[in-house]
Amino acid sequence: VNVLHTDPTVDDSKLDPDGDGIPTAWEWKWGYDPFTWDDHANLDPDLDGLSNIEEYQMAKWFADPFIQDMYIEVDYMGRGGLLDPPHYLFEESKQGIIERFAEHNIHCFIDDGWPNDPLHGGGDILPHIDKLSQDSGMMLQFYNNYFPVERRGIFRYLVLGHGGGFSTPAKNNIYDCIEVTYVSGRFELLQQIKWFFILGRVPTDRGIRVSLGATILHELAHSCSVDADNCGFGGIDNMSYASPIFPKKSYVETWGQYVSVLNYLYTHNPNIFDLSDGKNGPPYDQNDWGYMFVGYFQ
């Protein structure tokens, strides 16, 4: 009665007396005046790329307008045959990603099949494509048909598929699409041979989970502006290391100091599941987290 000048016998929590698009209860909870118009469509106090209107829309999924939130929808490539194992996001991989961002006060929410999802929410099985690329057009097809319209501009869209990994815009130059090659496990002899030639070893169950999580973290960092162009740093995505089995000595002596999943030398290392904190100092190391801008994906 004295503060909001409302009738305590009437539930007006969902009313919007100032007409700014967000009702009384949400504005009062987060310190806004429910009777003063605010430009919530453009306000983004935590700089996570989500406007206050979008934060309000995601309130049931724990969105906080003053802490950076990162929402990710995950879909899976269908199997390509008997030698292609089922695709899914391991719980350990998912939790590792969440923990890495939580250590830097970024809340990461991963929808791989939440209850009460909208149509084509997380966990969809996509048609099998042997190789996805940034310019094939298939990511746009998946984006248009398996990624809900109401989530675009709020969620990043992650596909666990085949044939490479990349962070790319689907349309309108919004970097909200990520594709990661599924890391196969110890299912058949052919799979073991394949990963031996790629990594120089047969991955253990733990290594598989770390590798998948680290690869996703790699691409998520790109969607948060941490790339070679924005940072001006030569250790990111540097292809001159030769191969993980026989890396060049000169590369190891220089960029080996950059212990980050953004360094291809370490992307699939079973002991590395983080970005660098820059402790080895310039010029061959940097604090990746210091370049993190969650809202960059927009």
Side-chain angles (χ1 to χ4, degrees), residues 46-77:
D46 54 12
L47 299 178
D48 61 2
L50 306 185
S51 69
N52 277 356
I53 291 287
E54 293 170 329
E55 299 271 8
Y56 164 65
Q57 292 170 348
M58 297 302 295
K60 65 179 179 179
W61 301 119
F62 310 109
D64 184 328
F66 299 108
I67 295 179
Q68 294 184 327
D69 298 310
M70 178 186 296
Y71 289 92
I72 305 162
E73 177 177 319
V74 182
D75 285 340
Y76 306 96
M77 187 74 69

Side-chain angles (χ1 to χ4, degrees), residues 100-137:
R100 294 294 83 72
F101 283 104
E103 290 168 351
H104 299 272
N105 206 30
I106 299 169
H107 290 178
C108 184
F109 302 93
I110 302 175
D111 176 11
D112 54 351
W114 287 346
N116 303 315
D117 256 355
L119 179 65
H120 293 310
D124 279 351
I125 304 299
L126 308 176
H128 179 85
I129 303 293
D130 282 336
K131 183 176 177 60
L132 285 176
S133 66
Q134 297 188 58
D135 53 2
S136 69

